[in-house]
Amino acid sequence: ARAANKIASVHRMHKARKSYTASLACVVRIQCLYRRAAAREILRGLRDPYSDMDFKELEVLHQGEVARLDVAVSTKDFKTAADIEKSLIPLKEALEHKRPLTRTVLELRIAEVQSLLDDAVSRKAFTDCPPLQSKLEDLISKRVDLPTMDELKSAVSLAEKDVGDAAARRNFEAAASAQAALDKAKDRLDEAMRAEGMSPDDRAHGGNCRDNALFQSRAELEAAIEDTSAKIDEAIATKKFNVATKYQSELDELEKLRSIMPSIDELTAQLNELKVEVDKAINTKNFQKADALQKDFDALETKIADERCKAKE
C-alpha cells in the first residue's frame, strides 16, 4: 500500500511540475513578445516621431513651427531658430511622405521616374530599367483615378448646377441627392487643394487665380504677371515644386486675361480702325452711325489715356 501511495505521489508531482513548467514557459513567451512589441514601438517613435500623425495634423504642426521660426528670427534668437530649422527637416520629409496623392503630385512622380529611366538607358544600365519601367506604368495607370484640378472644379460646378436645377423644379429629393454629390465633390477638391499647398478658401475664386475685376488696366495685369513669374522662379530656386505648380496655374489664368484686356498698342490699332469707320460713315452721310461710332471713338480714346497714366505709375 505504501509503495502504491509513493508511486501515485510521484506521478502527481511529475504531472503538476510539467503543467507548471509549461505555464511558466507560456508566460515568459508572452512577456518576451510584449517587451519586443514595446521596444519596437519605441524604436519606431525614435526613427519616425511623426508616424502617428496624419497629413492634416502634420500640416498644422509644420505651420506652427514655421511661425515659431519667424518669431525667433524677428527677435534675433538665432539659437532657437537654428534648432527649429533643424527639426523642420524631418517634419517636411514626413509631410511630403504623407501628402495625399493628387494629379499634380502624381505627374511630378511620373516625371521623376521617367528621368531615372532615361538616365538608366543612357548609362546602358539595362538591369535597372525593368523595375523603373514597371513603376512608371503603375504610376501612369493611376491617372484615371486622379482627375486634374480643372476636372475637379468642373465636377463641383456641374454638381452646383444640378442642385440649382433640382431646386428650381422643386424636386427636393433630387436636390438632396445632388447636394450630397456636391458636398462630396467639394471635399475632394478641398483635399486636393490642401495637398498641393493651396487654401480651400480660394475655391470660390477659381483656385488661386485672381478675379479680373481686380485689374483696372493692362498695366496692372502685366505687373501681376511679372510678380507671379518672379514667385515661380523663387519657388523653383528653393525646390518648392508644389508651390511652383500652384503659381504656374495662377500665371496661366492671368495670361488668359490678356485677351480681354488689350494693351495700349492694341487699343491704338482699334482706335485707328474706328476712325476709318467714322470717316467712312461721314463720307456716306450716314450721320446716325457716325455719331454712334464717334461715341465709341471718344470712349476708347479716354481708355487709352487712362492706360497710359496707369502705365507711368
Side-chain angles (χ1 to χ4, degrees):
R2 291 179 62 187
N5 289 337
K6 183 66 174 177
I7 293 171
S9 175
V10 171
H11 174 71
R12 285 195 300 273
M13 181 183 67
H14 176 72
K15 186 177 180 182
R17 181 177 290 174
K18 185 177 180 181
S19 175
Y20 171 75
T21 305
S23 298
L24 182 61
C26 290
V27 170
V28 171
R29 179 63 177 166
I30 291 171
Q31 289 178 337
C32 179
L33 291 173
Y34 176 79
R35 286 194 296 269
R36 185 173 70 178
R40 185 177 292 171
E41 190 67 21
I42 293 172
L43 179 61
R44 186 169 66 88
L46 292 173
R47 287 178 174 174
D48 184 8
Y50 310 108
S51 57
D52 296 332
M53 302 177 71
D54 59 20
F55 176 75
K56 290 182 182 179
E57 293 171 336
L58 283 172
E59 190 175 30
V60 172
L61 178 61
H62 180 262
Q63 291 172 353
E65 289 297 297
V66 170
R68 284 184 58 221
L69 178 61
D70 292 339
V71 171
V73 172
S74 63
T75 57
K76 297 184 179 180
D77 187 357
F78 300 118
K79 184 178 183 302
T80 302
D83 293 338
I84 295 173
E85 191 171 21
K86 185 177 179 181
S87 68
L88 278 174
I89 295 174
L91 178 56
K92 286 179 181 178
E93 292 176 354
L95 184 66
E96 290 303 319
H97 179 70
K98 293 192 177 182
R99 186 179 295 278
L101 186 62
T102 63
R103 183 61 173 268
T104 303
V105 177
L106 177 65
E107 292 299 333
L108 290 173
R109 292 183 182 178
I110 289 175
E112 182 182 358
V113 175
Q114 183 66 61
S115 176
L116 292 174
L117 181 60
D118 293 341
D119 180 63
V121 171
S122 65
R123 292 186 291 104
K124 297 184 179 180
F126 300 118
T127 54
D128 297 341
C129 294
L132 288 173
Q133 183 63 39
S134 176
K135 185 176 180 180
L136 180 63
E137 291 173 355
D138 181 56
L139 289 172
I140 291 175
S141 66
K142 293 180 180 179
R143 279 175 171 165
V144 179
D145 301 321
L146 293 169
T148 63
M149 196 68 72
D150 289 338
E151 290 170 344
L152 289 172
K153 290 175 183 176
S154 297
V156 170
S157 299
L158 183 61
E160 288 174 341
K161 183 177 181 299
D162 291 341
V163 172
D165 291 344
R169 298 194 307 270
R170 303 186 70 80
N171 187 346
F172 300 115
E173 184 178 353
S177 177
Q179 183 62 47
L182 174 60
D183 293 340
K184 186 176 180 181
K186 285 182 177 179
D187 289 342
R188 195 173 182 188
L189 176 59
D190 290 348
E191 182 182 359
M193 293 179 74
R194 277 193 296 267
E196 295 185 11
M198 300 165 64
S199 171
D201 295 335
D202 295 333
R203 172 165 39 83
H205 302 290
N208 232 17
C209 131
R210 307 178 199 184
D211 190 344
N212 60 333
L214 293 175
F215 305 111
Q216 302 299 322
S217 67
R218 177 64 175 265
E220 291 180 5
L221 175 61
E222 291 299 331
I225 289 174
E226 185 177 351
D227 179 58
T228 306
S229 298
K231 289 179 179 178
I232 292 173
D233 294 337
E234 182 182 353
I236 292 173
T238 55
K239 297 184 178 179
K240 296 179 180 178
F241 299 114
N242 288 332
V243 178
T245 302
K246 178 188 69 172
Y247 283 129
Q248 183 60 51
S249 299
E250 182 178 352
L251 180 62
D252 293 340
E253 294 298 325
L254 289 173
E255 288 178 341
K256 289 178 183 177
L257 296 179
R258 281 174 168 163
S259 61
I260 59 174
M261 299 188 74
S263 64
I264 293 177
D265 291 338
E266 291 168 342
L267 289 173
T268 303
Q270 293 178 18
L271 188 69
N272 293 332
E273 292 176 2
L274 203 54
K275 188 175 186 308
V276 171
E277 292 293 326
V278 171
D279 294 340
K280 185 177 178 181
I282 292 173
N283 292 333
T284 57
K285 298 183 180 181
N286 189 346
F287 301 113
Q288 186 176 359
K289 181 179 179 181
D291 181 60
L293 289 172
Q294 184 61 45
K295 290 178 181 178
D296 293 340
F297 182 88
D298 294 339
L300 190 55
E301 207 169 29
T302 303
K303 187 175 181 180
I304 291 174
D306 291 341
E307 283 284 346
R308 283 178 176 155
C309 289
K310 289 174 181 175
K312 290 179 181 178
E313 294 175 1

